[in-house]
Amino acid sequence: MTFAATVLTLYPEMFPGPLGASIAGRALREGRWACRTVQIRDFATDKHRSVDDTPAGGGAGMVLRPDVVAAALDSVAEPHPVIALTPRGRPLDQERVRELAAGGGVTLLCGRFEGFDQRLFEARAVEEVSIGDYILSGGEMGALVLLDACIRLLPGVMGAPSSGVEESFESGLLEYPHYTRPVTWEGRTIPEVLRSGDHARIAAWRHAQAETDTRLRRPDLWERHVGARVGSPSGARREKD
Ligand code: SAH
């Protein structure tokens, strides 16, 4: 099955862009995913082909018109989830990426200027997704990030099927640190346990490192990981959030 990516944008030339190279590029050529763009400006109705207007209530910048963006969206016949990239959206995580990759595709709305008219999201059942707590100049880079994360999970895309499973976040923890040759580099030596050949000890060390690093670097993830353990009071509290 081909994963169908449809991207609504004012800059269709940005796609597939970097997704035409490396793993995603090969998957594209193999037909594991397809990338179709829709130029939002083609759905403008006035003689200036305008897609934006001044913000209601005043203030700087311009806002994408809901009628124009909705017309572009309505032209897409795909049955897949519609996601708008916006810093106000739910932060993208590996769980949502996994769900999307398991579906048949996704339709992505890329904002520009100050963003979208909020009524669009209510009128068209659009999910709002953010790729992080910083502001991009447009949704296109966010769409590329989301697609890259999905594409590598599609069947047949990654070389070794196991490499996707141990990755950071898949288990709710950051991944353990990696090392490779040379054994000693600039006076620093690879941890002895990794050179021991003792697979049980290596697995235990990696698990302990993953836990320690997650606790120190990402207390937010650690809290959720601990809370998710069966029977813990903080797990019960999280369920209700
Ligand atoms: N005025 C908006 C930012 C607009 S940035 C605000 O302060 O919330 C212009 C466009 O870039 C947005 O419409 C969105 O599509 C995209 N964008 C910016 N930051 C993003 C982020 N963190 N995640 C996803 N999309 C983002």
Side-chain angles (χ1 to χ4, degrees):
M1 194 180 66
T2 301
F3 183 84
T6 308
V7 185
L8 287 82
T9 170
L10 291 168
Y11 300 95
E13 65 273 22
M14 289 177 74
F15 297 86
L19 297 180
S22 189
I23 290 176
R26 189 178 26 134
L28 184 61
R29 290 188 294 277
E30 289 171 352
R32 298 188 197 277
W33 71 287
C35 191
R36 185 166 81 88
T37 55
V38 174
Q39 169 57 273
I40 295 171
R41 200 172 294 281
D42 289 346
F43 295 85
T45 49
D46 64 349
K47 67 174 192 292
H48 304 291
R49 300 184 79 211
S50 54
V51 295
D52 56 334
D53 209 330
T54 53
M62 300 293 273
V63 177
L64 285 164
R65 289 172 50 142
D67 53 344
V68 177
V69 180
L73 192 53
D74 293 345
S75 79
V76 176
E78 303 287 342
H80 307 303
V82 178
I83 293 181
L85 282 307
T86 136
R88 283 165 42 93
R90 182 163 172 269
L92 184 64
D93 60 17
Q94 190 65 9
E95 193 182 341
R96 188 70 187 112
V97 166
R98 230 183 291 123
E99 289 168 359
L100 290 170
V106 65
T107 297
L108 299 172
L109 267 173
C110 303
R112 280 277 158 178
F113 322 120
E114 292 306 317
F116 303 93
D117 183 305
Q118 193 64 27
R119 292 171 296 177
L120 176 74
F121 303 143
E122 299 153 19
R124 290 294 185 278
V126 176
E127 177 183 342
E128 295 177 64
V129 166
S130 164
I131 66 153
D133 293 341
Y134 40 81
I135 304 294
L136 305 169
S137 55
E140 289 78 9
M141 297 288 191
L144 291 168
V145 166
L146 186 152
L147 289 175
D148 182 69
C150 289
I151 291 160
R152 59 186 288 285
L153 296 182
L154 299 177
V157 172
M158 297 263 288
S162 69
S163 57
V165 183
E166 279 196 14
E167 224 80 54
S168 293
F169 308 122
E170 287 290 356
S171 62
L173 296 174
L174 300 179
E175 202 184 36
Y176 50 81
H178 298 283
Y179 300 88
T180 189
R181 280 179 286 272
V183 170
T184 300
W185 172 72
E186 295 195 351
R188 296 160 198 273
T189 303
I190 296 176
E192 181 279 327
V193 55
L194 298 180
R195 292 176 282 128
S196 69
D198 181 339
H199 297 298
R201 253 184 85 211
I202 291 170
W205 181 86
R206 285 179 166 166
H207 186 72
Q209 283 289 315
E211 289 200 338
T212 307
D213 289 350
T214 305
R215 190 161 44 78
L216 296 177
R217 293 171 177 224
R218 291 292 303 274
D220 57 322
L221 284 183
W222 179 247
E223 162 81 7
R224 215 182 312 155
H225 177 73
V226 174
R229 284 182 192 160
V230 192
S232 104
S234 87
R237 199 171 57 233
R238 296 238 151 230
E239 292 279 315
K240 289 201 216 94
D241 284 353

